[in-house]
Amino acid sequence: MNEEEFLGFSHGFRPRRGQHDALDALYVGIAQRKVNYILDADVAGFFDGVSQDWLIRFVEHRIGDKRIIRLIRKWLKAGVLEDGIVTVSERGNGSRLVISPLLANIYLHYAFDLWAERW
C-alpha cells in the first residue's frame, strides 16, 4: 500500500504524524463542531492478537506479487528467540519485527479505519 492510501485521520507509525498531531486534530474537531461523544480506544495486546489469516488477506487485497506475500508469511512464522527458546505464534504480527508497524497500519486500515470513515 502507498502512504496516500491510508486515511487522513490515521496517525500511528506514519511519517510526519505522531500522537501530538492526533491530539491537535482532535482539538480542532471538537472546537469547530458540535460533539455529542468521543470514543477513545486503546487495543490492549493488539500486536499479539492480530489474526494472521486476516492480515494476509488484507495484504493480498492490495499486493498481487506472491513473492511479497510469501515473505510476509515467513516473517510472521519466524517466531521470537528469548533465552534460547524460539516461540512461534499463530496470532499476532510479531511486534519486534521491523515491518510490524506497516502491517499493523494495513490491518487497522481494513479492520477499523474504513469502518470509522463510513460511520
Side-chain angles (χ1 to χ4, degrees):
M1 288 184 72
N2 296 328
E3 174 64 25
E4 298 85 29
E5 294 181 53
F6 292 117
L7 299 177
F9 61 80
S10 176
H11 284 77
F13 298 107
R14 294 191 49 206
R16 297 173 300 283
R17 291 175 183 251
Q19 67 270 26
H20 296 291
D21 299 310
L23 290 173
D24 288 344
L26 177 64
Y27 174 76
V28 169
I30 292 171
Q32 293 181 354
R33 294 185 175 176
K34 180 182 178 211
V35 176
N36 293 325
Y37 54 90
I38 296 172
L39 171 65
D40 178 26
D42 182 11
V43 183
F46 171 76
F47 285 99
D48 296 328
V50 166
S51 166
Q52 291 179 4
D53 291 334
W54 275 105
L55 177 58
I56 292 297
R57 288 166 97 174
F58 294 151
V59 172
E60 287 174 334
H61 182 72
R62 296 295 306 158
I63 298 174
D65 189 336
K66 298 295 182 193
R67 296 169 296 179
I68 299 296
I69 304 301
R70 191 178 81 228
L71 178 61
I72 292 172
R73 285 184 195 276
K74 285 184 176 186
W75 268 325
L76 294 173
K77 301 296 181 198
V80 176
L81 176 65
E82 289 182 307
D83 300 324
I85 299 170
V86 176
T87 306
V88 179
S89 177
E90 295 297 316
R91 297 194 63 77
N93 75 346
S95 61
R96 296 180 181 129
L97 298 174
V98 172
I99 197 170
S100 291
L102 176 60
L103 294 177
N105 280 350
I106 292 170
Y107 190 89
L108 286 172
H109 175 76
Y110 289 105
F112 179 75
D113 292 352
L114 292 175
W115 169 80
E117 180 185 47
R118 187 171 178 168
W119 178 58

